[in-house]
Amino acid sequence: MPIKKIIQKLNIYFFLRNLSDFRVYKRKCFWNKKKPKIILKAIQENDRVLVSVVDNGTGINEETMDQVFIPFFTTKGQGNGIGLSLSHHIVRMHGGKLLAESDGNTGTTFKIVL
């Protein structure tokens, strides 16, 4: 399936909107960065599609990483803890995987594999 159709099917805007409230995200993850970056990539390899969101923020520690997809888990004072959980569910409903990687210090990567 062409990448355009897969992204339309997934409704990537909805996913990215739920991935993070970027105002809070920017304030929390980039407070100590002079040049904050968020990089979005989409690659098609054979019959698979990889969409990644990479930042150079403060990262997510191991303890928190184990909980990021649990409904209602949040580290934000104003968060409700459903964004990543909902995104994870949406990707799974489309037969994919949502993965998170971070070393806890130098940024985080979220990947959708379809």
Side-chain angles (χ1 to χ4, degrees):
M1 180 181 300
I3 191 168
K4 184 177 178 181
K5 287 188 179 188
I6 290 172
I7 290 174
Q8 287 172 344
K9 182 178 177 186
L10 181 59
N11 191 347
I12 197 68
Y13 172 77
F14 183 72
F15 165 77
L16 291 174
R17 187 166 182 246
N18 281 291
L19 184 63
S20 180
D21 175 338
F22 284 107
R23 283 177 305 137
V24 174
Y25 183 81
K26 184 174 129 182
R27 185 171 57 242
K28 184 170 176 77
C29 298
F30 296 119
W31 64 271
N32 65 344
K33 295 288 181 182
K34 291 182 181 177
K35 294 186 178 183
K37 293 180 186 177
I38 298 175
I39 301 167
L40 304 173
K41 296 180 185 179
I43 303 168
Q44 183 171 3
E45 294 180 357
N46 301 320
D47 63 341
R48 306 291 299 186
V49 173
L50 171 67
V51 178
S52 63
V53 180
V54 181
D55 71 41
N56 68 340
T58 57
I60 300 173
N61 65 45
E62 189 175 335
E63 182 180 323
T64 301
M65 186 64 77
D66 290 340
Q67 302 177 66
V68 295
F69 297 122
I70 296 173
F72 308 111
F73 173 78
T74 184
T75 60
K76 301 174 190 173
Q78 297 175 329
N80 56 22
I82 62 170
L84 284 173
S85 174
L86 181 58
S87 297
H88 189 256
H89 180 72
I90 291 168
V91 171
R92 280 189 23 230
M93 287 180 61
H94 289 281
K97 294 179 185 177
L98 175 57
L99 309 167
E101 301 170 353
S102 181
D103 68 3
N105 294 309
T106 57
T108 303
T109 299
F110 286 94
K111 296 179 182 177
I112 304 171
V113 181
L114 295 171

